[in-house]
């Protein structure tokens, strides 16, 4: 079992980090008191693998003293599993700017006269926690996508590329667009195997149909330019922080042309190093 404690300064990006870690497979619990962490860890250990990766958000809201937290960390690290702490920080100027933009109330504002005083007080209060952290990330100059990339690097051993899953699906326009599509490609300009009697009952996964579709120069040119487009854009989507991308390829009925192109496209995307799935929504089966 892997337990990650997410701590840090208010306004430093703990919520965003928790969201990204959830996408990476962590089960997230926000604002859990230290006294409950051990019991929760025992509960997770008996969860038959359901809670193998847990991330607990723990910050200045949770306790006035961190002694109990440090005792819990020592015990967790002695339980045989992996227990680490991530601490997020940002400069006082950055935190103040973020609070002014969101108009949220700082957790320590009730005991201080100004927002700046509250921010600087929290920095001092949280200093012992920072010293216990396994990883410290300063988000002052990090874009959201850069924070995600750093978390991927640390906690999954993956880069942006393998952090984004690509789904390629074929479909028939006469049955409607796939609602989940990010990119829609229309291949109805290609010669239609449906009008070839020997190919009508086959699909784009059959070699005869695929050979027919790719026997035309316009098909080969289209795929070549599409590969150039994806070579440019997929890394940019991943860098921007997109975790999944659905490419939908459509022809009239979703049986021949779109299936052949989607299948070829899947192989190309896989060759680029992205996790990819292939689905043919309207292709007849059986």
């Amino acid at each position: 079992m892997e337990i990650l404690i997410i701590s840090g300064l208010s306004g430093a990006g703990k919520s965003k980090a928790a969201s990204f870690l959830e996408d990476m497979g962590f089960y997230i619990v926000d604002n859990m008191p230290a006294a409950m962490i051990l019991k929760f860890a025992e509960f997770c250990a008996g969860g038959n693998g359901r809670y193998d990766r847990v991330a607990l958000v723990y910050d200045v809201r949770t306790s006035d003293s961190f002694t109990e937290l440090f005792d819990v960390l020592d015990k967790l690290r002695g339980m045989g599993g992996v227990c680490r702490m991530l601490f997020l920080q940002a400069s006082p100027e950055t935190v103040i700017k973020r609070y002014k933009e969101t108009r949220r109330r700082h957790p320590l504002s009730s005991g201080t006269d100004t927002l700046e005083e509250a921010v600087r007080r929290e920095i001092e209060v949280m200093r012992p926690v920072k010293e216990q952290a396994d990883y410290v990330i300063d988000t002052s100059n990090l874009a959201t996508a850069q924070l995600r990339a750093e978390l991927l690097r640390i906690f999954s051993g993956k880069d942006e590329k393998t952090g984004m899953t690509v789904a390629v699906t074929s479909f028939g326009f006469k049955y409607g667009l796939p609602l989940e599509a990010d990119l829609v490609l229309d291949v109805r300009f290609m010669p239609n195997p449906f009008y070839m009697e020997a190919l009508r009952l086959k699909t784009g996964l059959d070699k005869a149909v695929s050979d027919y579709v790719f026997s035309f120069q316009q098909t080969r040119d289209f795929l070549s330019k599409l590969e150039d487009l994806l070579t440019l854009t997929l890394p940019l989507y991943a860098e921007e922080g997109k975790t999944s991308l659905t490419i939908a390829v459509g022809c009239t009925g979703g049986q021949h042309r779109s299936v052949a192109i989607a299948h070829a496209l899947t192989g190309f995307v896989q060759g680029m190093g992205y996790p990819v799935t292939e689905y043919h929504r309207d292709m007849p089966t059986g």
Side-chain angles (χ1 to χ4, degrees):
M1 183 176 67
E2 179 180 0
I3 295 180
L4 174 66
I5 308 295
I6 306 172
S7 192
L9 304 180
S10 304
K14 295 189 300 295
S15 295
K16 286 183 179 179
S19 178
F20 292 142
L21 289 163
E22 186 172 26
D23 290 339
M24 292 161 55
F26 281 86
Y27 182 83
I28 307 296
V29 180
D30 189 19
N31 200 19
M32 176 172 284
M36 296 179 60
I37 293 178
L38 275 180
K39 292 183 179 179
F40 184 73
E42 292 172 358
F43 166 78
C44 293
N48 297 322
R50 182 180 179 184
Y51 305 106
D52 277 348
R53 306 188 85 194
V54 177
L56 309 174
V57 181
Y58 185 95
D59 56 31
V60 75
R61 299 170 297 167
T62 309
S63 176
D64 294 328
S65 171
F66 300 113
T67 302
E68 190 172 20
L69 172 64
F70 300 153
D71 290 341
V72 168
L73 285 175
D74 289 339
K75 292 176 182 177
L76 287 174
R77 287 165 176 162
M79 289 173 61
V82 176
C83 179
R84 295 178 288 180
M85 180 187 289
L86 166 68
F87 190 93
L88 296 166
Q89 66 178 17
S91 68
E93 295 77 15
T94 300
V95 173
I96 291 170
K97 180 181 177 182
R98 290 172 181 173
Y99 266 96
K100 286 184 175 180
E101 289 174 347
T102 61
R103 298 183 180 180
R104 291 172 51 220
R105 182 181 176 86
H106 193 278
L108 299 183
S109 60
S110 59
T112 54
D113 296 325
T114 65
L115 175 57
E116 180 178 357
E117 184 182 346
V119 171
R120 295 191 182 279
R121 173 173 168 75
E122 185 183 22
I123 291 174
E124 290 303 314
V125 169
M126 296 296 290
R127 192 179 303 278
V129 180
K130 177 183 174 181
E131 292 173 354
Q132 290 279 332
D134 299 282
Y135 307 99
V136 177
I137 298 178
D138 192 318
T139 66
S140 301
N141 299 306
L142 286 185
T144 300
Q146 292 174 312
L147 174 59
R148 175 181 175 273
E150 184 66 4
L151 293 173
L152 277 170
R153 183 188 67 80
I154 295 173
F155 297 107
S156 71
K158 298 177 179 180
D159 57 17
E160 296 96 329
K161 177 182 290 187
T162 51
M164 184 177 75
T165 299
V166 179
V168 181
T169 180
S170 67
F171 71 97
F173 274 97
K174 68 179 181 179
Y175 302 116
L177 294 173
L179 297 179
E180 70 277 13
D182 296 298
L183 302 176
V184 177
L185 306 170
D186 184 351
V187 297
R188 288 176 292 184
F189 65 87
M190 297 176 183
N192 194 347
F194 178 83
Y195 298 108
M196 305 289 293
E197 186 174 351
L199 304 179
R200 184 171 302 167
L201 299 181
K202 298 180 182 296
T203 74
L205 295 180
D206 289 303
K207 186 176 184 302
V209 173
S210 180
D211 287 347
Y212 176 82
V213 170
F214 284 99
S215 67
F216 298 94
Q217 186 64 44
Q218 63 203 60
T219 302
R220 298 192 296 272
D221 289 345
F222 173 79
L223 187 61
S224 176
K225 293 183 182 300
L226 179 57
E227 290 173 350
D228 289 341
L229 175 65
L230 295 180
T231 298
L232 170 67
T233 58
L234 289 189
L236 297 177
Y237 281 122
E239 183 180 333
E240 188 60 26
K242 199 166 183 61
T243 57
S244 63
L245 182 77
T246 298
I247 303 172
V249 184
C251 61
T252 304
Q255 177 177 342
H256 297 108
R257 295 166 291 181
S258 62
V259 173
I261 296 299
H263 183 65
L265 202 57
T266 298
F268 175 76
V269 173
Q270 189 173 38
M272 289 182 68
Y274 293 91
V276 60
T277 60
E278 179 179 349
Y279 174 61
H280 304 290
R281 191 190 72 178
D282 301 319
M283 184 184 74
T285 57

